[in-house]
């Protein structure tokens, strides 16, 4: 993609987009506790977006994870199924795809899909470096880049904080030299939150990735307010608890309030809970199915719950 302009879809440059966004800020989505309205806006295609605080670039609030779902090896039908998911993702207006060297063959699967789709211009590539010895970081990033077939990554995250002291200086240097656009750190399932908090307070990272869902809400206590205070974008992994949350909820009818926020599935309820938090930039659900992908992208449209409804959603789901 052209990394110097905000790509908000065919025919939209940054200036056009900003004009559209300023006119369409969703006041109804502004939780009561927020000091100022989060920059949740609708693009002309109707997808809700949030700005990356360090740059102002807009991202749709739903992205695509690839752990397990895209680890399909050389299985040709499975590779085509993943390509169909990626195609549907871009058709729906999606941009951010997240992966890691830890995810088996997910990186070559992404590369296969991007090549089949002739390198979609809207792509926002989010990768990770996952090696304890920082001296091996550059070679790993280069191998990842070759798997994806992209000229450079948009975002590089230190996976699970592994060797972060060694990796961050190199990533900042790559960013300064234009070989990356953003630097981040990832964690999941509440692991090493105290250390993550220390990094967020002391390092000039652009992104943090962490777990948040209707049942795992620890990040709401300190990390999400800190991200807002420090101007750090937030990617949310495991919005469905790797599917367990949806399996658990499937036994129950949708509550009446789901229709008030335009949700016709538990998946959309779970995603709208996550992306309505004002600190959250983008949730990254993973799926191997086009029908699920379309359902998930539907959560980036329409109304979001306010603070009172968010609290009720968490309470009601915990009580099920
Ligand atoms: N430390 C880290 O950096 C870290 C850790 C964990 C995860 N992550 C990232 O976060 C992403 C998401 O987390 P996750 O993969 O653990 O799990 P998740 O997104 O919470 O759940 C994925 C599961 O939900 C199912 N699913 C998706 N959409 C659905 C729908 N609409 N209806 C019913 N089922 C649906 C998928 O099955 P189907 O294939 O059948 O749709 C899949 O089994 C990962 O893929 C990865 O990119 C990062």
């Amino acid at each position: 993609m052209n990394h110097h302009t905000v790509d908000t879809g065919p025919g939209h440059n940054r200036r056009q987009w900003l004009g559209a966004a300023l006119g369409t800020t969703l006041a109804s989505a502004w939780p009561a506790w927020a000091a100022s309205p989060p920059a949740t806006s609708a693009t002309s295609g109707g997808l809700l977006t949030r700005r990356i605080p360090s740059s102002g670039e807009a991202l749709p609030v739903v992205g695509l994870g690839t752990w397990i779902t895209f680890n399909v090896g050389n299985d040709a039908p499975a590779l085509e199924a993943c390509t169909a998911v990626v195609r549907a993702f871009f058709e729906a207006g999606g941009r951010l795809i997240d992966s890691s060297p830890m995810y088996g063959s997910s990186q070559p699967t992404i590369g296969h899909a991007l090549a089949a789709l002739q390198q979609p211009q809207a792509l926002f590539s989010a990768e990770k470096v996952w090696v304890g010895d920082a001296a091996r970081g550059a070679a790993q990033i280069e191998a990842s880049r070759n798997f994806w077939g992209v000229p450079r990554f948009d975002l590089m995250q230190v996976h699970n904080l592994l060797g972060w002291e060694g990796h961050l200086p190199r990533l900042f240097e790559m960013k300064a030299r234009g070989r990356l656009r953003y630097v981040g750190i990832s964690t999941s399932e509440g692991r090493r939150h105290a250390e993550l908090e220390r990094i967020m307070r002391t390092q000039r990272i652009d992104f943090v990735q962490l777990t948040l869902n209707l049942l795992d809400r620890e990040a709401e206590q300190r990390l999400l307010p800190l991200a807002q205070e420090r101007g750090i974008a937030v990617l949310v992994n495991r919005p469905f608890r790797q599917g367990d949350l949806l399996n658990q909820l499937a036994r129950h009818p949708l509550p009446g309030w789901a229709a008030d926020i335009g949700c016709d599935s538990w998946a959309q309820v779970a995603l709208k809970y996550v992306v309505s938090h004002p600190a959250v930039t983008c949730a990254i659900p993973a799926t191997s199915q086009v029908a699920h992908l379309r359902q998930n992208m539907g959560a980036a449209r329409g109304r979001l719950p306010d603070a009172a409804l968010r609290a009720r959603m968490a309470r009601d789901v915990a009580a099920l």
Side-chain angles (χ1 to χ4, degrees), residues 18 25 83 118 129 131 143 243 288 295:
L18 284 175
T25 297
T83 298
Q118 294 168 345
V129 59
V131 58
S288 56
Q295 200 168 54

Side-chain angles (χ1 to χ4, degrees), residues 150-289:
V150 293
R152 64 177 170 175
F153 286 113
D154 292 299
L155 166 63
M156 184 56 62
Q157 306 154 93
V158 180
H159 193 140
N160 281 347
L161 281 64
L162 184 65
W164 68 267
E165 298 94 330
H167 288 302
L168 278 187
R170 182 191 304 277
L171 298 186
F172 289 136
E173 188 200 316
M174 287 178 73
K175 180 182 167 185
R177 290 168 52 202
R179 290 171 60 208
L180 282 180
R181 298 176 67 223
Y182 300 103
V183 175
I185 296 267
S186 84
T187 184
S188 65
E189 298 169 80
R191 274 184 291 225
R192 298 173 74 182
H193 273 187
E195 192 174 0
L196 182 64
E197 186 176 332
R198 188 158 59 84
I199 296 169
M200 290 170 70
R201 287 190 188 283
T202 58
Q203 306 291 317
R204 296 196 66 79
I205 52 175
D206 302 292
F207 275 82
V208 65
Q209 182 181 142
L210 45 75
T211 296
L212 174 69
N213 58 54
L214 277 158
L215 296 177
D216 299 307
R217 300 173 53 211
E218 187 190 322
E220 291 176 354
Q221 297 304 309
R222 297 175 66 91
L223 297 180
L224 293 180
L226 180 60
Q228 283 181 286
E229 185 188 316
R230 298 275 299 161
I232 300 171
V234 177
L235 298 186
V236 170
N237 61 39
R238 302 177 62 80
F240 306 141
R241 267 195 172 176
Q242 210 187 318
D244 288 351
L245 175 63
L246 298 183
N247 293 339
Q248 204 178 320
L249 292 173
R251 296 194 293 273
H252 304 280
L254 279 181
W257 43 252
D260 297 342
I261 49 171
C263 294
D264 55 19
S265 65
W266 277 113
Q268 291 182 347
V269 165
L271 287 172
K272 285 206 171 186
Y273 176 79
V274 167
V275 304
S276 59
H277 192 290
V280 170
T281 311
C282 177
I284 48 170
T287 183
S288 56
Q289 301 189 49

Side-chain angles (χ1 to χ4, degrees), residues 8 35 43 68 91 97 246:
T8 54
T43 63
I68 302 180
E91 282 172 359
I97 299 180
L246 298 183

